[in-house]
């Protein structure tokens, strides 16, 4: 919500009564306890020779965390990897789409994957060898998959090349460790504008919600580029519901972005109003270089003022003191000055001792305003005060670091 604009209508008698200039002078120009046991060999008044030494201090269990950790020696992995590569005693043949065969062991596959165990139980046995088919997967991808079941070993290049195939295999045959590895690789720099749509659809099919969310955020962030890719066009024809969902996400994200920018701009306006109130009080009470109350001696050559709004407010006051119109609806600069004076009056807690012009007058005028105008002014005052408090909190947090 933007800053409430309050149009102030003034009786002609009031304008005439305040046609004189303000009474403002303007010049031109972690702690731990350690216990040490010392073997005192010096003679003592007491005989402690028969007292045994105390036991050592209790130590933290060396086995802590072993239940959650398992360190497999490299030699053990090498043995399992060698067993797979050499196929010693293999009794399972896995046939791929091009007729190639990957040999394996029934017991290893049954333990590694419950889905493969069911397939093997239903497979036919010929000469002591079980045969199963896994179509739709290249030989090298299936070879890397079965090797991972044996030793959790893989070649980095193969993993990057067949990561999508391995993601599907790990999901289809319930191999969580390989699935997590594939998701990690896809999330860490593998996604591009060209493949993110395909990966998004695959992630949804393979129940990988985190990967799907990352893909969706990437689509929202680079929508213009991604919507021109061939993958988007194919998805648009094959899965229009997904296209509609992504478009809604883009619109929602853009709306949230606009709301954030709008709130940032509003906070800037309220903070500027707060600074203007501080500068107005500073000018009317203490004086600032070439402008201030008549009972103050001004020093035009003093150091620059610490109030950033002083310079702009000084220009506004000079215009207001010399403007011939000075009607709230006739001169925009004068209208702004009238509103600043009324805003100050609404925020001032000491109107009887306040040196800002018209402060007490506006306190009386508040009682004659309509409820609608009063609500707008109260909202504006609350926003300015909130911006002031937020600025103080931010400044205190920065000073603490």
């Amino acid at each position: 919500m933007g800053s409430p604009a309050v149009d102030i209508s003034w009786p002609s008698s009031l304008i005439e009564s305040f046609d004189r200039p303000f009474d403002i002078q303007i010049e031109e120009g972690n702690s731990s306890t350690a216990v040490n046991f010392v073997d005192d060999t010096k003679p003592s008044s007491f005989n402690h020779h028969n007292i045994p030494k105390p036991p050592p201090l209790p130590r933290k269990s060396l086995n802590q965390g072993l239940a959650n950790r398992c360190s497999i020696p490299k030699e053990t992995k090498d043995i399992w990897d060698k067993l797979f590569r050499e196929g010693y005693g293999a009794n399972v043949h896995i046939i791929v789409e091009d007729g190639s065969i990957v040999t394996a062991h029934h017991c290893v596959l049954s333990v590694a994957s419950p889905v493969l165990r069911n397939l093997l139980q239903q497979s036919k046995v010929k000469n002591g060898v079980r045969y199963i088919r896994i179509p739709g997967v290249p030989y090298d991808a299936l070879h890397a998959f079965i090797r991972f079941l044996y030793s959790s070993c893989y070649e980095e290049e193969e993993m990057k090349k067949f990561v999508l195939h391995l993601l599907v295999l790990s999901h289809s045959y319930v191999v969580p460790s390989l699935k997590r590895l594939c998701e990690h690789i896809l999330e860490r720099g593998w996604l591009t504008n060209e493949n993110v749509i395909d990966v998004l659809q695959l992630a949804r099919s393979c129940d990988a919600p985190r990967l799907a969310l990352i893909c969706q955020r990437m689509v929202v962030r680079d929508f213009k580029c991604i919507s021109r890719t061939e993958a988007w066009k194919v998805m648009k024809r094959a899965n229009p519901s997904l296209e509609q969902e992504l478009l809604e996400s883009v619109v929602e994200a853009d709306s949230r972005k606009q709301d954030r920018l709008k709130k940032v701009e509003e906070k800037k306006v309220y903070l500027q109003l707060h600074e203007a109130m501080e500068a107005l009080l500073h000018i009317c009470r203490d004086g600032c270089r070439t402008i201030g109350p008549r009972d103050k001696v001004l020093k035009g050559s003093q150091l620059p003022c610490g109030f950033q709004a002083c310079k702009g407010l000084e220009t506004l006051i000079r215009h207001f003191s010399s403007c011939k119109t000075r009607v709230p609806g006739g001169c925009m600069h004068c209208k702004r000055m009238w509103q600043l004076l009324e805003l100050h009056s609404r925020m001032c807690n000491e109107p009887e001792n306040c040196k800002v012009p018209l402060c007490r007058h506006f306190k009386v005028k508040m009682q004659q305003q309509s409820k609608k105008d009063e609500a707008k002014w109260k909202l504006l005052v609350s926003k300015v005060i909130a911006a002031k408090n937020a600025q103080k909190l931010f400044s205190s947090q920065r000073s603490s670091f």
Side-chain angles (χ1 to χ4, degrees), residues 144-378:
F145 173 68
I146 301 300
R147 179 191 178 190
F148 189 90
L149 297 184
Y150 274 76
S151 61
S152 297
C153 296
Y154 58 90
E155 300 295 334
E156 187 173 353
E157 292 299 326
E158 281 189 349
M159 180 61 68
K160 291 182 178 180
K161 182 178 180 180
F162 299 109
V163 62
L164 295 180
H165 297 89
L166 293 174
L167 176 63
V168 175
L169 288 170
S170 62
H171 173 73
S172 301
Y173 295 99
V174 193
V175 185
S177 57
L178 179 57
K179 185 177 179 180
R180 288 192 297 268
L181 179 61
C182 293
E183 292 177 5
H184 177 81
I185 293 175
L186 289 170
E187 293 170 5
R188 301 298 189 277
W190 198 88
L191 296 174
T192 64
N193 289 345
E194 299 295 331
N195 63 26
V196 65
I197 294 297
D198 296 331
V199 177
L200 172 60
Q201 298 178 85
L202 192 61
R204 292 193 167 194
S205 301
C206 294
D207 190 23
R210 173 184 168 84
L211 178 60
L213 178 60
I214 292 175
C215 293
Q216 185 171 347
R217 288 179 175 177
M218 185 174 176
V219 172
V220 171
R221 185 174 61 250
D222 301 327
F223 176 73
K224 290 184 178 180
C225 297
I226 294 174
S227 61
R228 293 194 292 264
T229 61
E230 189 64 28
W232 178 275
K233 298 176 182 177
V234 174
M235 180 270 297
K236 184 178 180 180
R237 294 192 298 268
N239 195 351
S241 61
L242 177 58
E243 180 203 15
Q244 181 65 26
E245 181 180 346
L246 292 176
L247 290 175
E248 291 176 357
S249 299
V250 172
V251 173
E252 183 180 357
D254 185 66
S255 177
R256 288 198 302 266
K257 181 179 179 181
Q258 296 298 329
D259 290 342
R260 287 195 300 269
L261 293 176
K262 185 177 180 180
K263 289 181 179 179
V264 169
E265 292 301 322
E266 286 181 358
K267 289 181 179 179
K268 288 182 180 179
V269 171
Y270 298 136
L271 188 58
Q272 289 172 357
L273 286 174
H274 163 64
E275 293 174 353
M277 294 297 99
E278 295 288 332
L280 179 62
L281 184 61
H282 163 66
I283 291 174
C284 297
R285 182 182 59 190
D286 306 323
C288 180
R289 295 196 299 175
T290 61
I291 184 172
R294 295 186 180 276
D295 58 348
K296 292 288 183 179
V297 178
L298 304 178
K299 298 180 181 179
S301 60
Q302 66 182 7
L303 295 176
C305 179
F307 293 88
Q308 297 181 356
C310 262
K311 185 176 181 180
L313 194 58
E314 178 182 347
T315 304
L316 188 62
I317 292 176
R318 289 182 185 278
H319 167 83
F320 190 71
S321 63
S322 59
C323 181
K324 302 302 182 182
T325 307
R326 203 185 294 176
V327 179
C331 176
M332 292 301 299
H333 300 292
C334 291
K335 179 180 179 180
R336 187 177 303 172
M337 190 65 203
W338 283 113
Q339 291 178 339
L340 289 176
L341 291 172
E342 182 168 357
L343 179 59
H344 163 78
S345 177
R346 290 178 176 272
M347 297 177 65
C348 182
N349 297 323
E350 299 178 351
E352 298 299 329
N353 301 322
C354 184
K355 293 187 177 182
V356 177
L358 302 179
C359 184
R360 282 172 291 180
H361 163 75
F362 282 113
K363 288 289 185 183
V364 176
K365 179 178 177 294
M366 294 177 197
Q367 303 173 1
Q368 304 173 0
Q369 282 186 329
S370 63
K371 292 183 178 180
K372 184 177 180 180
D373 290 340
E374 183 69 17
K376 288 182 179 181
W377 276 108
K378 284 185 177 181

